[in-house]
Amino acid sequence: MAQKASFDQVVDDLLALNPGLTRESALEGIHPWVRDENDASRLRRRWVLCNKTPKLVALPDSIGDLSIGGGLFLFDNKLTSLPEGFCNINVLGHLRFDDNEIASLPADFGNISVLGCLDLSNNKIASLPVSFGDIRVGGPIYLYDNPIAKLPGEQRPHFEWLDIRYENH
């Protein structure tokens, strides 16, 4: 079994993929007490990576090794895709990717685990992978303002709350 990347390794990988992003900006709001002393890949609180200058353009595969206690906020960036490794992430709060430029989701996106809401609204997602029906989300799933023509298979009845409105601006 491969060893999980530590939070510090994920930050290094993130900096390598996003020229101009500084360590200070990536760690803004992350304090030492937020890290789990027994598990270097776990954060006890949320990680906010939105409203950064420059905007994030890519995420490292290693981000999927993390377990984040309070949520992962990646809205208002310039992300166009998510790495395959992202699909292993465990978020005990909200996962927000709204207001990016994501056109498609990895094939294994249904492997993610999110205790709060999943927000993928205001992107460019035209279709969802078949695995989306297996997704484990404890709160609402927001997909509105994406050009999604239909959900794969009969997934909609599986979700308690799913918003897929599309208003072509």
Side-chain angles (χ1 to χ4, degrees):
M1 184 168 137
Q3 184 173 356
K4 287 184 171 186
S6 69
F7 176 70
D8 290 325
Q9 181 61 53
V10 172
V11 171
D12 289 343
D13 294 348
L14 183 69
L15 295 173
L17 291 171
N18 293 278
L21 183 68
T22 65
R23 180 170 294 282
E24 293 75 27
S25 180
L27 296 176
E28 187 177 356
I30 300 288
H31 301 286
W33 59 268
V34 170
R35 298 183 191 200
D36 189 321
E37 298 145 7
N38 300 316
D39 185 348
S41 67
R42 185 169 179 266
L43 291 178
R44 295 182 187 173
R45 300 281 187 267
R46 67 183 178 188
W47 190 13
V48 178
L49 284 166
C50 52
N51 302 320
K52 300 290 180 194
T53 302
K55 307 257 185 214
L56 299 181
V57 296
L59 296 176
D61 250 3
S62 58
I63 199 166
D65 288 342
L66 296 180
S67 178
I68 301 175
L72 180 58
F73 298 87
L74 293 157
F75 59 89
D76 190 28
N77 278 293
K78 298 280 184 196
L79 300 171
T80 58
S81 64
L82 302 177
E84 284 294 332
F86 181 82
C87 300
N88 298 317
I89 200 162
N90 182 25
V91 180
L92 300 177
H94 303 305
L95 179 57
R96 292 192 51 194
F97 282 106
D98 44 314
D99 297 312
N100 275 280
E101 299 173 7
I102 299 169
S104 64
L105 299 174
D108 291 335
F109 193 77
N111 291 345
I112 68 168
S113 177
V114 179
L115 190 58
C117 76
L118 171 63
D119 194 342
L120 290 160
S121 61
N122 295 312
N123 278 285
K124 298 178 180 180
I125 301 167
S127 65
L128 299 172
V130 173
S131 70
F132 198 84
D134 299 327
I135 203 166
R136 296 173 311 269
V137 176
I141 299 173
Y142 300 105
L143 291 167
Y144 60 85
D145 286 336
N146 280 290
I148 299 171
K150 67 176 187 166
L151 296 175
E154 292 295 324
Q155 293 174 346
R156 189 179 188 114
H158 171 76
F159 301 114
E160 185 172 322
W161 203 92
L162 175 65
D163 186 347
I164 57 170
R165 294 176 304 210
Y166 180 58
E167 298 172 20
N168 193 0
H169 303 262

